[in-house]
Amino acid sequence: MISYHWLMISSAGFVNHIERLFDEKVLIGTGWTAHESMRPLAYSTLADLVHHVRTSLPMSDLALAVDLFSKNIHDDSLPSSIQTMSCKLLLNLVESIRTKSDQENGNVSAGPVLPPSFPSSSLSTLMSLWLQGRELLMHMLNVYVLKFKSIAQQQLPAMLARWWVPLQTLVHLQFPSDCIHIFHLSASR
């Protein structure tokens, strides 16, 4: 609770310096003990900070956040709660990326909307910023697809092997007394 209030009060001061916190050496340090024990807490605190200031972040900092938390989703050394938090943060960043892309570059769905007097020298910069927002969103979609693929290939077979009730048991099922028997069979594996 105290960290939440601290974040709300001081988060505005971090917006100008948040890009430094996306560097893991600055956020966590280089020591083995800090890396092993403080890493989940550091990522959780950084995710809270990014969540609260996401509308104030420039596109470059949003890109750094997407990069860091995308890596966390696939890092098996992190607890599943941190991986889940990283997934939620990326979903919360989608709207900020779209809004920031609209504010800086025009309508995302149709490409940048240019006024008639727009200088042609700035067109390449405008298009690159618009494409950066689009590429970030596509990268995030790819991260989720790869995570679902790894779940399907690695974790789902282990869960099915542990909790699968043989089909023969289900064929002769008589409710409700046999339901308790099946639950005990599954739990004892």
Side-chain angles (χ1 to χ4, degrees):
M1 187 64 142
I2 293 173
S3 64
Y4 175 76
H5 290 294
W6 176 78
L7 273 173
M8 293 305 295
I9 293 169
S10 62
S11 61
F14 282 108
V15 172
N16 296 332
H17 308 286
I18 199 166
E19 70 183 32
R20 293 180 190 163
L21 294 177
F22 292 121
D23 181 6
E24 292 179 341
K25 290 179 182 175
V26 173
L27 181 65
I28 301 166
T30 57
W32 182 84
T33 305
H35 188 268
E36 292 301 314
S37 62
M38 298 300 293
R39 196 163 63 127
L41 177 63
Y43 286 140
S44 178
T45 305
L46 181 60
D48 284 342
L49 177 64
V50 170
H51 175 75
H52 289 293
V53 299
R54 68 186 185 275
T55 58
S56 305
L57 294 176
M59 188 67 84
S60 60
D61 289 345
L62 290 171
L64 291 172
V66 167
D67 182 55
L68 178 67
F69 290 102
S70 294
K71 291 175 186 174
N72 289 350
I73 289 173
H74 296 291
D75 188 350
D76 290 333
S77 67
L78 288 171
S80 61
S81 60
I82 300 299
Q83 293 178 7
T84 303
M85 178 216 46
S86 297
C87 289
K88 289 178 181 179
L89 179 66
L90 288 182
L91 287 175
N92 286 326
L93 291 180
V94 167
E95 184 64 24
S96 296
I97 291 169
R98 188 199 61 80
T99 302
K100 196 60 73 172
S101 188
D102 280 351
Q103 287 174 355
E104 294 177 2
N105 313 313
N107 184 358
V108 173
S109 61
V113 177
L114 304 174
S117 62
F118 190 79
S120 60
S121 61
S122 300
L123 183 61
S124 63
T125 304
L126 187 64
M127 287 299 292
S128 69
L129 289 173
W130 177 74
L131 289 173
Q132 182 184 11
R134 185 179 172 110
E135 287 174 9
L136 275 177
L137 295 174
M138 292 303 293
H139 172 70
M140 291 166 60
L141 183 61
N142 190 38
V143 165
Y144 283 112
V145 168
L146 291 175
K147 185 61 177 179
F148 286 132
K149 182 178 178 181
S150 72
I151 288 171
Q153 290 177 344
Q154 296 170 1
Q155 296 170 353
L156 192 60
M159 289 188 312
L160 287 176
R162 179 178 167 97
W163 297 104
W164 184 259
V165 177
L167 185 58
Q168 296 83 4
T169 308
L170 293 176
V171 170
H172 302 293
L173 185 65
Q174 296 176 2
F175 286 85
S177 61
D178 285 343
C179 292
I180 296 170
H181 177 68
I182 289 174
F183 175 75
H184 289 296
L185 283 177
S186 298
S188 66
R189 288 185 180 187

